[in-house]
Amino acid sequence: MTLDEAQWHPSACILCECNCGVEIQLGEDGRSFAKIRGDKQHPASKGYTCNKALRLNQYQNGETGRLTTPLRRGADGTFEPVDWDTAIHEIATSLQQIRDTHSGESIFYYGGGGQGNHLGGAYSPATMHAFGARYRSSALAQEKTGEFWVSARMLGMITRADFEHCEVAVFIGKNPYQSHGFPRARSVLKEIAKDPQRSMIVVDPVRTQTAELAEYHLQVRPGTDLWLVTAMAAILVQEDLVDHPWIEEHLNGYQPVAEVLRAVPVTEYCAIADVPEPLVRQAVERIAKAASVAVFEDLGVQMNRDSTLVSYVEKLVWLLTGNFGKPGAAYVPSGLSAIGRDRGYPFGEGPRSPVVGAPIISGLVPCNVVADEILTDHPARYRAMIVESANPAHSLAQSTRMREALRSLDLLVVIDVAMTETALLADYVLPVPTQFEKYEATFFTFDFPQNIFHLRHPVLEAPAGLLTEPEIHARLVEAAGALGEADYAPLREAAAVSREAFAQAFLPLMADPGMRRLAPVLLYRTLGPTLPDDASSAAVLWAAAHQAAMANPDGMRNAGYGQAPAAGELLFDAILAGEHGIVTTVDDYDASWQRLPRERILLEVPELLRQVAALRDRPAPQPDPQFPFVLSAGERRAFTANTIMRDPSWRLRDAEGRLRISTADAESLGVSSGDLVRLTTRAGNAHVAVDVTDTMRVGHVSLPNGLGLTVDGQSTGVAPNELTLTEDRDEWVGTPWHKHVPARVESLGPTPAWLPD
Ligand code: SF4
């Protein structure tokens, strides 16, 4: 058989939240990815990929430090292989001792998946419950929790926006050309740019590829987004460009918001943001005149100063102009999970972390307080951590402090594919198959009006000796004595009869809140073995499909699944069979309104509005003479991804991850592209080669994300969090200021490549 005749295996790219469908052809060795192409049958991406998907072989088969057996740290501090029974027994015993001595609440769970793998993490609530754990977090709590909280306060739900159909697209701290965030991003951007009836507005200190395509680039001074976005909202009110009839019909709280915005000195704010006022006014007028506006705020502002306040004012802009619940505007997605859903307690109320008292948003402890929750003698401190598909030693702020915290734990268990920076510190490391060796899926399904789900089938067999995450969770739950054969037997009997019989046996158990937490493992052990093609790991989706059928009856009916409860079964069967991904809901635009928990949207969030009003009295941000540059630590570029991409050879360009610096700053420092500089922040310093570019503002430098990983003892590039501090975080929700790190840059003269300090 020639390669061209070989089978194409449907799967997905795992390098950003879009999870574009791909098809993979294996090489003659049966393991290498010989060819990768976009999957035209995928219902969201429809054959689209960016350049990154084509290098997925480096994830699967590259130099990654792949784990092949469970490891235990021995008495001499090195790892030794152990069998699974020993590892599970010892971990469970240790967790039980910690629970019995200090309370299960001292066991902290972190992770549960990244950009491409959420299925295993869906089983973690069972393990947490089995050992009495209560607190958890993930990378979302260093990115999106500010927006989640603001959305909960204003709308009661999270929103996304319809860029495919909008007349005007607004990107705030977002470069979709590299970071994507919605299907077929590069194609959609080019379509908008080419269409004379449509416009793009970009708020970004960098002249990104997206900004190059935009009609309006508001090249804001780093750290002043709040002044600029507030000026934009103020122009809408002061020039009476708001949609009064729509506001009257749908919004509460217009008067107090308008009063604050009327008092905004627009000229002064534009000057602080260093964006020409006429350009700001033109952009705002374009928004006001458009039939539809879609807005996306992302990490450029969400990991920056005033991030929660910017989220609030950004939402004022599209709500004041009536851009919700219609084609081309903001919408409330359907989905199989509740990612991002928050109760929206007023600030100061709601759940808090046990030591620092930080607000828990969407169930997640802020990442920047995790080290503080451990490095203390507080009796409620976290003493054990289970880290699953995540790498906090590298990806959370102030890595030195995070490493110290992880080392100080009584027990650290890491579940992962490779020997990560976090796994290196663990007491036990449990190896799992890669994302192409097992059933996988993400719950990042936010499309509209047609939403999708993609259960990816294995492309390859996993090497012997590995267990999937659901199997690990099931074994831990059983070792804790939380579930066993007596619980499984009646459900297995029912599952052998029919799904309907299974449902009748399963649903009464869910009246018990404890059983509800254990449900993923219960499903895995009982319904799982009845699923075709060894798809036990997908069992948890049976419950998710039924919940979706109840939550989105119209969308599911429009998608051809009929009415609940039959719709839930049909959807689950479609998920199991749909190797290329399936459509789950087809919504009317009105569905967004129906999904809101209250009839009217709240414009006024008093505690946030007070701070917007108080902005007039805040001095304009000034650079620190000791650290005159602003470092954006973690820029997405053409060859950066999350830290699961460990093989540095996957980067075809910018292999060492250079520091981007403006032409004027480079001239002042006397450096050229490729020259080495010392980059110093309050947290540390690094030597890095510069890339001189006229896309950066004077005083602004950027490092890429995903660099500084150590594979087989070799590290490439600068790990951004060696340069950040945990105390630099948002006042409201604790998200880090990674995109605003005060820094100093000093020339070290010509050197061809990055060197360690
Ligand atoms: S990195 Fe590119 S190919 Fe991969 S999911 Fe994102 S947009 Fe798609």
Side-chain angles (χ1 to χ4, degrees):
M1 184 169 60
T2 67
L3 271 183
D4 280 338
E5 291 161 349
Q7 185 185 350
W8 287 97
H9 301 271
S11 188
C13 175
I14 56 176
L15 298 179
C16 88
E17 64 162 278
C18 288
N19 301 122
C20 299
V22 298
E23 292 188 299
I24 298 168
Q25 204 176 65
L26 298 177
E28 285 171 355
D29 59 4
R31 296 210 61 85
S32 59
F33 291 180
K35 290 185 182 175
I36 300 172
R37 67 184 183 190
D39 182 359
K40 292 189 175 145
Q41 296 181 65
H42 190 273
S45 56
K46 299 176 178 150
Y48 172 94
T49 69
C50 74
N51 59 295
K52 295 182 187 181
L54 307 181
R55 306 284 290 169
L56 284 168
N57 186 51
Q58 268 75 5
Y59 161 79
Q60 175 62 40
N61 295 302
E63 294 298 322
T64 60
R66 184 86 195 264
L67 297 163
T68 54
T69 181
L71 297 171
R72 174 179 63 193
R73 191 172 296 283
D76 66 353
T78 62
F79 283 121
E80 58 192 9
V82 284
D83 62 74
W84 278 102
D85 286 349
T86 303
I88 295 289
H89 172 73
E90 290 182 1
I91 292 167
T93 302
S94 187
L95 289 171
Q96 281 169 317
Q97 281 170 355
I98 290 166
R99 176 193 63 194
D100 295 345
T101 311
H102 304 290
S103 148
E105 295 187 2
S106 66
I107 300 169
F108 188 65
Y109 175 87
Y110 185 85
Q115 302 284 23
N117 58 323
H118 298 166
L119 196 56
Y123 291 82
S124 63
T127 301
M128 290 180 68
H129 180 72
F131 293 98
R134 177 177 170 197
Y135 298 104
R136 66 185 299 154
S137 194
S138 76
L140 275 177
Q142 63 171 356
E143 298 174 350
K144 297 282 170 191
T145 37
E147 186 174 25
F148 292 164
W149 179 62
V150 170
S151 297
R153 298 298 315 276
M154 298 176 82
L155 296 109
M157 298 293 277
I158 62 161
T159 60
R160 303 282 283 194
D162 180 7
F163 293 95
E164 185 146 6
H165 304 106
C166 68
E167 181 180 323
V168 172
V170 182
F171 299 110
I172 304 178
K174 167 110 191 127
N175 176 16
Y177 198 88
Q178 294 299 3
S179 65
H180 310 282
F182 50 90
R184 304 171 43 255
R186 290 179 183 174
S187 303
V188 170
L189 294 177
K190 287 174 189 163
E191 284 161 18
I192 296 172
K194 261 195 240 154
D195 188 339
Q197 307 302 317
R198 304 174 77 188
S199 293
M200 209 185 315
I201 299 167
V202 171
V203 175
D204 201 312
V206 182
R207 203 179 73 237
T208 61
Q209 294 93 334
T210 307
E212 296 268 13
L213 291 167
E215 196 173 338
Y216 305 91
H217 178 201
L218 312 184
Q219 197 167 6
V220 60
R221 185 156 70 92
T224 62
D225 303 271
L226 180 58
W227 281 264
L228 178 60
V229 180
T230 302
M232 293 172 75
I235 291 167
L236 286 170
V237 170
Q238 293 174 12
E239 300 292 324
D240 200 21
L241 297 171
V242 302
D243 187 339
H244 287 289
W246 193 87
I247 289 170
E248 231 158 80
E249 193 181 347
H250 296 297
L251 306 184
N252 278 359
Y254 174 68
Q255 288 309 333
V257 166
E259 200 175 309
V260 167
L261 294 177
R262 268 187 217 109
V264 166
V266 169
T267 302
E268 189 186 318
Y269 282 19
C270 291
I272 290 171
D274 195 22
V275 180
E277 184 181 341
L279 185 66
V280 178
R281 290 188 179 278
Q282 285 165 25
V284 173
E285 276 165 28
R286 185 68 186 92
I287 289 171
K289 282 187 189 145
S292 61
V293 180
V295 184
F296 202 141
E297 57 154 89
D298 210 357
L299 305 190
V301 289
Q302 290 177 337
M303 296 177 118
N304 212 322
R305 301 189 72 106
D306 298 310
S307 58
T308 299
L309 288 169
V310 170
S311 284
Y312 174 54
V313 182
E314 170 262 317
K315 281 164 188 48
L316 292 181
V317 169
W318 52 261
L319 284 168
L320 289 169
T321 47
N323 280 293
F324 174 82
K326 65 180 185 181
Y331 59 81
V332 178
S334 62
L336 263 62
S337 85
I339 283 183
R341 209 78 56 79
D342 184 60
R343 301 290 286 273
Y345 291 101
F347 186 67
E349 299 176 24
R352 326 268 311 172
S353 66
V355 174
V356 176
I360 293 176
I361 308 293
S362 306
L364 303 172
V365 171
C367 293
N368 271 43
V369 307
V370 172
D372 295 343
E373 297 270 329
I374 297 169
L375 293 170
T376 169
D377 57 5
H378 193 291
R381 67 183 180 271
Y382 307 144
R383 297 165 193 265
M385 251 174 103
I386 302 171
V387 176
E388 177 176 350
S389 292
N391 193 358
H394 183 277
S395 59
L396 300 198
Q398 201 172 347
S399 297
T400 46
R401 187 162 163 75
M402 196 65 219
R403 285 193 291 268
E404 185 189 348
L406 293 170
R407 279 195 199 101
S408 75
L409 292 165
D410 295 349
L411 177 70
L412 173 60
V413 179
V414 170
I415 302 169
D416 215 314
V417 173
M419 184 55 84
T420 64
E421 289 64 28
T422 306
L424 281 168
L425 305 171
D427 297 296
Y428 293 87
V429 184
L430 305 181
V432 291
T434 71
Q435 297 188 43
F436 298 102
E437 295 168 347
K438 63 192 172 198
Y439 283 90
E440 249 318 347
T442 78
F443 296 102
F444 287 151
T445 48
F446 302 122
D447 298 342
F448 192 93
Q450 180 175 289
N451 205 355
I452 67 118
F453 191 81
H454 188 187
L455 176 67
R456 287 131 44 195
H457 292 214
V459 174
L460 298 163
E461 268 191 31
L466 310 184
L467 295 181
T468 63
E469 293 90 339
E471 181 65 28
I472 292 170
H473 285 297
R475 291 190 187 195
L476 285 170
V477 166
E478 288 155 3
L483 286 176
E485 280 308 313
D487 304 293
Y488 301 149
L491 289 171
R492 282 190 178 134
E493 272 175 36
V497 176
S498 68
R499 288 262 191 83
E500 196 180 345
F502 179 81
Q504 282 172 4
F506 179 82
L507 290 176
L509 299 177
M510 295 301 103
D512 175 350
M515 270 298 177
R516 277 209 298 277
R517 300 292 309 278
L518 294 167
V521 165
L522 208 50
L523 288 166
Y524 173 73
R525 283 289 193 234
T526 59
L527 181 66
T530 70
L531 302 180
D533 303 323
D534 296 326
S536 297
S537 296
V540 73
L541 299 175
W542 176 80
H546 277 283
Q547 281 166 354
M550 306 282 280
N552 303 298
D554 295 340
M556 294 264 302
R557 196 181 52 247
N558 294 343
Y561 299 105
Q563 302 281 2
E569 287 300 330
L570 283 176
L571 175 61
F572 182 55
D573 284 337
I575 287 171
L576 291 174
E579 286 187 81
H580 298 269
I582 59 154
V583 173
T584 55
T585 43
V586 178
D587 281 322
D588 300 326
Y589 280 88
D590 211 34
S592 289
W593 290 107
Q594 291 157 17
R595 289 188 184 126
L596 297 184
R598 21 179 206 262
E599 277 185 18
R600 297 176 73 83
I601 295 168
L602 308 180
L603 269 192
E604 184 190 11
V605 179
E607 61 269 46
L608 296 176
L609 188 60
R610 276 195 295 277
Q611 292 303 313
V612 175
L615 192 62
R616 289 186 67 169
D617 302 322
R618 260 173 71 178
Q622 297 298 332
D624 178 343
Q626 291 292 309
F627 299 102
F629 285 84
V630 171
L631 166 68
S632 179
E635 184 185 37
R636 290 218 214 161
R637 297 181 183 170
F639 284 98
T640 67
N642 49 40
T643 59
I644 63 163
M645 200 54 141
R646 299 189 65 80
D647 183 345
S649 76
W650 89 280
R651 284 184 209 97
L652 290 176
R653 293 198 302 274
D654 192 25
E656 74 269 46
R658 289 182 175 185
L659 180 78
R660 288 190 178 153
I661 188 168
S662 74
T663 309
D665 284 327
E667 277 172 19
S668 300
L669 289 165
V671 294
S672 308
S673 285
D675 288 353
L676 208 60
V677 296
R678 178 187 289 114
L679 176 64
T680 306
T681 69
R682 287 185 291 130
N685 68 72
H687 293 180
V688 60
V690 295
D691 181 21
V692 179
T693 166
D694 64 359
T695 61
M696 302 294 291
R697 280 185 63 115
V698 169
H700 192 210
V701 291
S702 80
L703 278 176
N705 69 324
L707 274 285
L709 302 174
T710 303
V711 181
D712 293 337
Q714 294 288 316
S715 181
T716 309
V718 178
N721 283 311
E722 301 293 337
L723 301 171
T724 59
L725 293 175
T726 56
E727 68 195 41
D728 289 341
R729 59 182 188 249
D730 183 70
E731 300 83 348
W732 302 86
V733 299
T735 41
W737 295 339
H738 289 347
K739 306 295 171 117
H740 194 96
V741 182
R744 187 166 63 241
V745 182
E746 297 155 287
S747 170
L748 290 173
T751 308
W754 178 86
L755 290 170
D757 192 23

